[in-house]
Amino acid sequence: HIAHRKPLTMGKRKTRKKPPPPKQRNNQRLETQFDCPFCNHEKSVECNMNRPSGIGTAKCEVCLANYQMRISFLDEPIDVYSGWLDKCNEVNERAQGELDEDEDLE
């Protein structure tokens, strides 16, 4: 009798996995200079990030208006500038509300 044997099969060649493609880095630099909300000069506001102290600063080189805010490690200069614009809008809305109240009293 012939013992039951598995049929002979040819071995496959081992395939080598291709290495993953290199990750593409985002080479676009975000803006650090912006238009001033007070004097409207273009590219006159410079935003600086002092990460060790956690302070972001936006300063206009023309009219010397400035703004500071606390930053985290995730924040970028655009976040400081946006914070400044948000604060300006908040103050303007508050002032507009007070003007509207004064007109109602007259």
Side-chain angles (χ1 to χ4, degrees):
H1 267 278
I2 300 178
H4 291 287
R5 291 188 196 170
K6 290 185 176 178
L8 295 176
T9 57
M10 299 288 290
K12 287 187 177 179
R13 221 180 237 192
K14 298 204 180 219
T15 59
R16 198 180 279 178
K17 287 185 179 179
K18 290 184 180 179
K23 291 183 180 178
Q24 292 182 354
R25 300 196 81 202
N26 188 359
N27 290 336
Q28 291 180 328
R29 297 289 297 168
L30 296 175
E31 292 288 322
T32 59
Q33 292 184 328
F34 306 97
D35 301 342
C36 180
F38 292 102
C39 68
N40 293 324
H41 276 87
E42 293 182 5
K43 306 275 186 195
S44 63
V45 174
E46 178 87 24
C47 291
N48 296 310
M49 312 292 279
N50 188 344
R51 295 198 188 276
S53 67
I55 300 289
T57 305
K59 182 179 179 183
C60 177
E61 299 296 326
V62 178
C63 69
L64 301 180
N66 63 43
Y67 174 75
Q68 288 184 339
M69 67 178 271
R70 288 206 154 291
I71 58 171
S72 71
F73 67 96
L74 295 175
D75 288 324
E76 294 294 331
I78 186 69
D79 298 316
V80 175
Y81 181 69
S82 296
W84 191 15
L85 293 180
D86 291 343
K87 196 58 98 171
C88 289
N89 289 336
E90 181 183 315
V91 169
N92 288 340
E93 288 174 5
R94 198 174 321 137
Q96 185 63 37
E98 290 173 6
L99 286 177
D100 291 343
E101 289 176 10
D102 289 343
E103 288 175 3
D104 292 340
L105 295 176
E106 292 178 5

